[in-house]
Amino acid sequence: MRRDGYQPDFVNYSSIIQYLTRSNRVDSPILRKLYTEIESDKIEIDGHLMNDIILGFSKAGDPTRAMRFLAMSQGNGLKPKNATLVAVILALGNSGRTQEAEALFEEIRENGLEPRTGAFNALLKGYVKTGSLRDAEFVVSEMEKAGVMPDEQTYSLLIDAYAHAGRWESARIVLKEMEAGNVQPNSYVYSRILASYRDKGEWQKSFQVLKEMKSSGVKPDRHFYNVMIDTFGKYNCLDHAMATFERMLSEGIRPDTVTWNTLIDCHCKSGRHDRAEELFREMQQKGYPPCIATYNIMINSMGEQQRWEQVSELLSKMQSQGLLSNSITYTTLVDVYGKSGRFSDAIECLEVLKSTGFKPTSTMYNALINAYAQRGLSEQAVNAFRLMTAEGLTPSLLALNSLINAFGEDRKDAEAFAVLQYMKENNMEPDVVTYTTLMKAMIRVEKFQKVPAVYEEMVMSGCTPDRKARAMLRSALRYMKQTLKS
């Protein structure tokens, strides 16, 4: 538009954001860039555009900015739609910020609006995600008091909560309540039970779920089979994953891109890159165009094999299909280049991203810091850390643990402890990885006598030592004993 001499207005920006939101192509960096343009164009934001911005950030999984624009909207006397508020509650819940989600839910009530099933479900989902079973049960009881009828999603979420808590009988009672309430359990409900077993490592129960499902007269759909394939793939049961895929086809259920991506990804993670490549070709031959997620999986696969020409080819194919690299693409590239020691290429990726107007994410810097750490390049790791903080990004625990590892590998134990001190000064809680990495650093410089003190501090801080931490302690004590004997 600008090239043709036209100035975009609030309607144009609204249309763009709505399109991105509806097509699930919205992400926070794109919205931030659009808002910067809105400001530079001095466009006055009306209620509709503000509503679209709040909804966009919510759908993009950025509740902080969604809440910021919600506050701005309310401060200007604008009223966001009820569906937008529900989306913000959902984004907060998905981020584990259930107290804020509940406060916003109560705000809807205080404004004289009666929350509907969607609002209750959004709050319920947050509690289920954080494992707050009692709060989840309370939300359902409040629904009943308010005369709001639970729907399939309500029951599915409650089943999810009970399944994750290991209360299988309670989950089965909910299934019976569904039937009593004339809400027929569908394939999605059973897929949530299956996902709960998957997340708890009980993949063998997949067959039991399928059996129960069929005995209830519910036919598995594509989503159920996708979860089942993912369950088998996660635990390296590739034969079962492929058998499930074949069963799905034999029942006349067409796979989708998610199905193919799951199959390709589980073969990559199991080191079966050759089979993953075959599936990638088969996917296209059968008329399923790869999406950005497919390309990201294959770029990671080729990068792990250090097949750099193929990485370039995949990036070119993406562009020819009109697919834009997203934050996962850049993070993947930084990660594979970094792990292979191609640090100049990794940094170039960050610079290319910046040149397009987007800021690198903390995940990208984490990948770069970790890559330097693996090779004991502590100075470069510190430089990457400084760049990260200069971008205004808050260092994560992962980045700081990687920094400790970098100093440990470079035999700089004093600097490793300085990172621990930095954590404490900035109210960050060290975890078991922090202390285990510090113990490893002490062993590397043969300061075995310091290891028990680090271990003790870990226990006193409330961290539960894992197998690796205990092994570090035993190793140090063994060396100390040998030193005393000699």
Side-chain angles (χ1 to χ4, degrees), residues 244-255 286:
T244 303
F245 180 61
E246 294 302 328
R247 178 187 289 174
M248 179 180 175
L249 296 175
S250 70
E251 291 178 8
I253 299 169
R254 283 176 57 83
K286 294 194 173 174

Side-chain angles (χ1 to χ4, degrees), residues 162-190:
Y162 285 130
H164 274 291
R167 288 173 55 178
W168 308 113
E169 283 308 311
S170 298
R172 286 191 173 89
I173 289 167
V174 174
L175 279 171
K176 287 176 182 175
E177 284 177 6
M178 285 183 77
E179 291 169 2
N182 292 321
V183 180
Q184 178 64 35
N186 59 12
S187 184
Y188 180 78
V189 172
Y190 284 98

Side-chain angles (χ1 to χ4, degrees), residues 299 308 327-343 345-351 353 360-361 363-372:
I299 288 166
W308 306 116
S327 59
I328 296 171
T329 315
Y330 284 107
T331 304
T332 302
L333 287 168
V334 170
D335 188 44
V336 293
Y337 283 138
K339 284 177 179 173
S340 301
R342 295 169 66 107
F343 297 114
D345 288 323
I347 291 164
E348 189 182 337
C349 282
L350 296 176
E351 294 304 321
L353 183 65
T361 64
T363 312
M364 292 174 198
Y365 280 111
N366 288 345
L368 186 58
I369 293 166
N370 186 53
Y372 283 131

